[in-house]
Amino acid sequence: MKQGGQTQEIMDFTLNNGTMMPAVGIGTFLMQPDEAEAAVRTALQNGYRLVDTANAYLNEKAVGRAIRASGKDRGDIFLSTKLWPSVYAEADKAIDATLQRLGTDYIDLLFLHQPAGDYAGAYQAMERAVKAGKVRSLGLSNFPVEKIDDILMQAELPPAVLQAEAHPYYPEQALKKHMARYGAVLMAWYPLGHGDAKLVQEPVFTELAAKYGKSNAQIILRWHVQSGHVVIPGSKNPDHIRANLDIFDFSLTRGDMARIARLAEQGRPYYVPSAEILEGYLRFSPDFGAQK
């Protein structure tokens, strides 16, 4: 691939602790256990190395089974998961339970899923897990700048990844600028706009898809990785899973990127949490015993 006359490969990003993280992974949000297991197996069979799950998805056991069944060496797979707010108060135990559900000795990247409850205390528990060799990198998901700063005032280990809604309508430029102070990478959820046909079918993506012989979705995912984002599009369709990774044989030009950047003028996220929503997260306790 070439851009500006220089050969480049955007398959891995280097985190602020020196760890290498794949730029594209399979997400498992809203997947039932059997669906997550099948999707992860398909992804790993087709070259994926990053798998993302969470306590609240209730499919960690299935993700762990898929990883073991893949025949891939555990060291070749980058596994990320997230602690839910209702377990923050007992985060040390929750981390051990998460490891048990996943059937692994360590987690490559562990997030706090939402900025509710005792997130500062839970982050300290995650730091202890890093020192114990149970976790390799730390992350924050859905945290606004002011709560990120709350944690950083007390943290020994800065977060390596911030997971947030990001897409061409809402590229999170302010958050990325703040993150640059400590070298954190942005991991984008809703990378294709939560299935918003208006976003995916924007004329600029249709034109660029024709130019490069790709789909509109592939153009958007390529925009993400060239913007420095890790992306975790979720799909249960094997063809879509394969296509979502097929974005490393071309490169968007500066002009292409500038055209896409103009979509950010719309500047609207799909998810805007209220205080009531965040409080509700504390009342939701995932039924881990019901996992299959």
Side-chain angles (χ1 to χ4, degrees):
M1 295 174 293
K2 292 186 177 180
Q3 179 179 336
Q6 295 184 346
T7 301
Q8 64 169 345
E9 177 59 59
I10 310 179
M11 192 63 191
D12 293 278
F13 293 120
T14 303
L15 304 184
N16 57 15
N17 59 3
T19 300
M20 302 297 291
M21 182 178 185
V24 179
I26 182 75
T28 60
F29 179 50
L30 296 180
M31 290 189 191
Q32 295 297 315
D34 59 335
E35 296 170 335
E37 186 170 356
V40 171
R41 290 186 67 170
T42 296
L44 293 176
Q45 289 166 359
N46 284 276
Y48 282 73
R49 294 180 290 115
L50 166 60
V51 180
D52 181 72
T53 181
N55 289 174
Y57 300 171
L58 296 176
N59 57 27
E60 287 175 312
K61 288 184 179 179
V63 166
R65 285 196 302 271
I67 289 173
R68 292 189 294 277
S70 72
K72 305 291 184 181
D73 187 282
R74 174 66 183 87
D76 293 332
I77 297 171
F78 192 102
L79 175 61
S80 67
T81 191
K82 311 170 196 73
L83 298 181
W84 189 251
S86 60
V87 303
Y88 288 177
E90 296 186 314
D92 295 283
K93 292 181 180 179
I95 292 168
D96 288 340
T98 298
L99 287 164
Q100 185 175 14
R101 285 192 296 273
L102 289 166
T104 186
D105 294 330
Y106 69 94
I107 297 164
D108 293 277
L109 174 61
L110 182 61
F111 290 96
L112 295 182
H113 203 155
Q114 297 286 350
D118 184 15
Y119 53 80
Y123 194 87
Q124 291 171 353
M126 295 203 304
E127 290 181 315
R128 290 191 290 272
V130 171
K131 295 173 183 176
K134 299 175 182 180
V135 174
R136 295 192 171 175
S137 300
L138 302 182
L140 300 173
S141 181
N142 303 303
F143 274 67
V145 166
E146 62 273 13
K147 291 189 176 181
I148 294 171
D149 289 344
D150 284 346
I151 288 175
L152 285 172
M153 288 178 64
Q154 306 174 51
E156 295 180 45
L157 304 174
V161 181
L162 291 178
Q163 192 180 83
E165 176 184 349
H167 41 75
Y169 284 163
Y170 193 69
E172 282 283 17
Q173 296 293 2
L175 180 61
K176 287 171 64 176
K177 183 177 180 180
H178 191 78
M179 288 160 45
R181 300 179 189 178
Y182 47 99
V185 170
L186 176 69
M187 188 181 198
W189 57 263
Y190 283 0
L192 300 174
H194 194 41
D196 183 354
K198 181 178 182 296
L199 171 59
V200 176
Q201 294 172 11
E202 283 282 355
V204 63
F205 299 131
T206 301
E207 293 170 22
L208 292 175
K211 175 182 175 180
Y212 292 104
K214 294 290 181 178
S215 69
N216 289 35
Q218 288 171 320
I219 296 297
I220 296 172
L221 294 175
R222 181 68 203 183
W223 168 83
H224 274 288
V225 297
Q226 285 189 213
S227 299
H229 307 166
V230 174
V231 286
I232 46 168
S235 178
K236 295 173 280 188
N237 183 311
D239 291 335
H240 291 171
I241 291 171
R242 285 187 286 269
N244 287 341
L245 194 64
D246 186 21
I247 61 170
F248 294 99
D249 59 350
F250 76 105
S251 186
L252 299 170
T253 67
R254 290 183 179 180
D256 297 334
M257 295 292 285
R259 291 182 63 195
I260 295 170
R262 289 196 284 272
L263 295 175
E265 295 172 1
Q266 301 196 38
R268 55 184 177 85
Y270 295 92
Y271 166 75
V272 181
S274 63
E276 290 75 19
I277 288 174
L278 292 175
E279 182 64 26
Y281 292 153
L282 287 170
R283 294 193 296 271
F284 169 64
S285 295
D287 184 3
F288 301 123
Q291 284 198 43
K292 296 180 181 179

